[in-house]
Amino acid sequence: SSLLDGAMGDEHRDHFDPWSQVNANRFKFNEPKIQLIAPTATASKVCDVATAYRAKPIMGCTTPAEAREVSRVVDATFLSFGTPTTADMANAVLDAPIVVVDPVGVGLPERGKMVRAWLDARRCMRDEVEQENFCTIIKGNASEMTTLVKLFGMGDGERYANSSVTTASEGKGWFEQTFGTKFDDKDKRFSSFEDDATSTAGTTFRIHRSFVDEYMPELHNLACYLDATLVMTGPCDVILEPYASVGDWNSFLVRTRSTEMFDTYAGAGCALGAACAAQIGRLHRHSISSDELRYDFIADVPRVLAWTAAQYREAGAVSAANARGPGSFQAEFLDKLYLLYSLKEQALM
């Protein structure tokens, strides 16, 4: 814990352990190569965050042929459908082993058609490629996930779209109503939490499939249909795994501190996608180096994503406390990510 204390400060010592869900034996330090296909408006910030996570970003591809060539030699690809990504560029990485997808602009009719066509083709590709660790991760906010639910005919998904809206009857948004429920299970990582405005505790909960089926059936169906892990960001981040591949206890709820300063940080969502690609790429690079670890790669993906989301938000909250505005926040945030990982390297090497 001393390594974490040095990165986050003594005042945050007792309540945040981003490594609690990750088996360190399967997550050794390395410098994964990741391809970044990012929007022009946020490309530099996406690259900065990936570098802070000790990844080696490759983002100079300007043609589909180059993107396809690079996708075959990197550990993971981050694909954003934001401008100027075209269908040809996206299709060039269709068979890449590991892709983190950010469905930016999916609510626009033409962009939505392109995203749906790509995800459908990616789903079909799963049975055609000879890759043990073939993995698709879709990271999006509640609004984007709602649109995907509608596009694929899984329901209207309106409860997710209104996840942060306060209701007159309950005084809480959908997330608070749903996850303020008392959980009745022996597993200590699946328990209730109180809505205490003064609390700074950050906690990750495992979610059983039966709970997901009751409260998030549309998202569950979407994950299973696309054979993809979903990362839905919001007041609570939800990491949802297609259970056919890993079992009933491999989805997660991340409830930790965050900050409104992320609203001033254009590209914060895209940068989280790059962070996910860096960490999953690192996991993949380590897993292929040991035969005994290959089987566990897919099962470890949601755990690493849950940890990444918790770390990202907590680093933002700590950075905001020292920031004077958007500019200093971005500098503080990158420094926190870099310092946390720089110190943690010693335990992973």
Side-chain angles (χ1 to χ4, degrees), residues 181-199:
T181 306
K182 294 290 185 181
F183 300 126
D184 182 17
D185 197 279
K186 295 179 181 179
D187 190 288
K188 294 181 179 179
R189 290 174 294 173
F190 187 71
S191 59
S192 63
F193 56 81
E194 300 298 329
D195 187 14
D196 180 2
T198 64
S199 174

Side-chain angles (χ1 to χ4, degrees), residues 245-267:
S245 60
V246 295
D248 291 340
W249 278 97
N250 222 32
S251 288
F252 294 87
L253 166 71
V254 177
R255 183 180 190 261
T256 190
R257 300 183 309 151
S258 189
T259 173
E260 293 182 357
M261 289 299 292
F262 276 133
D263 296 336
T264 72
Y265 183 12

Side-chain angles (χ1 to χ4, degrees), residues 37-40 78-91 93-94 99-106 108 110-120 122 138-139 144 148 270:
I37 302 176
T40 302
F78 170 67
L79 170 64
S80 171
F81 279 91
T83 305
T85 300
T86 63
D88 288 341
M89 185 67 82
N91 289 336
V93 299
L94 192 60
V99 182
V100 178
V101 183
D102 192 343
V104 174
V106 69
L108 299 171
E110 291 303 313
R111 188 77 57 85
K113 291 178 182 177
M114 180 170 69
V115 172
R116 175 174 179 171
W118 190 92
L119 289 173
D120 261 330
R122 174 78 175 176
I138 305 173
K139 182 218 67 72
E144 290 164 339
L148 289 176
C270 290

Side-chain angles (χ1 to χ4, degrees), residues 18-322:
W19 293 86
S20 61
Q21 299 294 337
V22 181
N23 185 335
N25 291 328
R26 299 175 185 153
F27 199 74
K28 298 296 184 183
F29 175 75
N30 57 63
E31 296 181 322
K33 295 179 180 178
I34 61 172
Q35 176 169 214
L36 302 176
I37 302 176
T40 302
T42 62
S44 62
K45 297 177 182 179
V46 168
C47 185
D48 286 342
V49 167
T51 303
Y53 275 93
R54 295 301 195 278
K56 294 182 177 180
I58 301 173
M59 55 189 311
C61 296
T62 58
T63 67
E66 290 176 341
R68 180 175 178 79
E69 181 179 0
V70 170
S71 73
R72 294 178 174 180
V73 297
V74 295
D75 297 294
T77 293
F78 170 67
L79 170 64
S80 171
F81 279 91
T83 305
T85 300
T86 63
D88 288 341
M89 185 67 82
N91 289 336
V93 299
L94 192 60
D95 61 349
I98 299 171
V99 182
V100 178
V101 183
D102 192 343
V104 174
V106 69
L108 299 171
E110 291 303 313
R111 188 77 57 85
K113 291 178 182 177
M114 180 170 69
V115 172
R116 175 174 179 171
W118 190 92
L119 289 173
D120 261 330
R122 174 78 175 176
R123 175 180 62 86
C124 296
M125 185 70 67
R126 177 67 183 87
D127 297 326
E128 299 177 14
V129 297
E130 296 182 0
Q131 293 281 351
E132 289 187 57
N133 292 342
F134 191 87
C135 178
T136 305
I137 299 161
I138 305 173
K139 182 218 67 72
N141 58 35
S143 178
E144 290 164 339
M145 289 298 181
T146 296
T147 302
L148 289 176
V149 164
K150 293 178 180 178
L151 281 176
F152 286 95
M154 302 296 174
D156 59 32
E158 288 301 328
R159 61 174 124 185
Y160 314 120
N162 298 323
S163 61
S164 60
V165 177
T166 299
T167 60
S169 60
E170 298 290 339
K172 298 179 180 180
W174 177 80
F175 273 99
E176 288 76 12
Q177 291 181 54
T178 302
F179 297 112
T181 306
K182 294 290 185 181
F183 300 126
D184 182 17
D185 197 279
K186 295 179 181 179
D187 190 288
K188 294 181 179 179
R189 290 174 294 173
F190 187 71
S191 59
S192 63
F193 56 81
E194 300 298 329
D195 187 14
D196 180 2
T198 64
S199 174
T200 58
T203 310
T204 301
F205 298 87
R206 277 201 314 176
I207 308 175
H208 190 267
R209 177 175 178 174
S210 60
F211 183 83
V212 173
D213 287 343
E214 180 177 357
Y215 288 101
M216 294 175 282
E218 302 97 335
L219 288 176
H220 174 203
N221 292 338
L222 182 68
C224 291
Y225 176 76
L226 294 176
D227 193 20
T229 302
L230 306 184
V231 180
M232 183 173 72
T233 59
C236 301
D237 296 328
V238 177
I239 291 83
L240 201 60
E241 175 69 20
Y243 302 104
S245 60
V246 295
D248 291 340
W249 278 97
N250 222 32
S251 288
F252 294 87
L253 166 71
V254 177
R255 183 180 190 261
T256 190
R257 300 183 309 151
S258 189
T259 173
E260 293 182 357
M261 289 299 292
F262 276 133
D263 296 336
T264 72
Y265 183 12
C270 290
L272 174 58
C276 291
Q279 300 295 65
I280 298 303
R282 177 169 288 111
L283 178 69
H284 176 250
R285 170 168 283 211
H286 180 58
S287 71
I288 61 177
S289 67
S290 172
D291 289 337
E292 67 184 54
L293 297 177
R294 290 179 184 176
Y295 177 80
D296 296 308
F297 169 77
I298 295 298
D300 280 340
V301 164
R303 296 184 180 93
V304 171
L305 292 172
W307 163 66
T308 302
Q311 181 196 53
Y312 191 87
R313 288 194 179 278
E314 183 75 6
V318 175
S319 301
N322 301 321

Side-chain angles (χ1 to χ4, degrees), residues 4-13 318 336:
L4 185 64
D5 297 342
M8 288 301 187
D10 291 339
E11 70 273 21
H12 308 290
R13 175 179 302 172
V318 175
K336 287 298 181 187

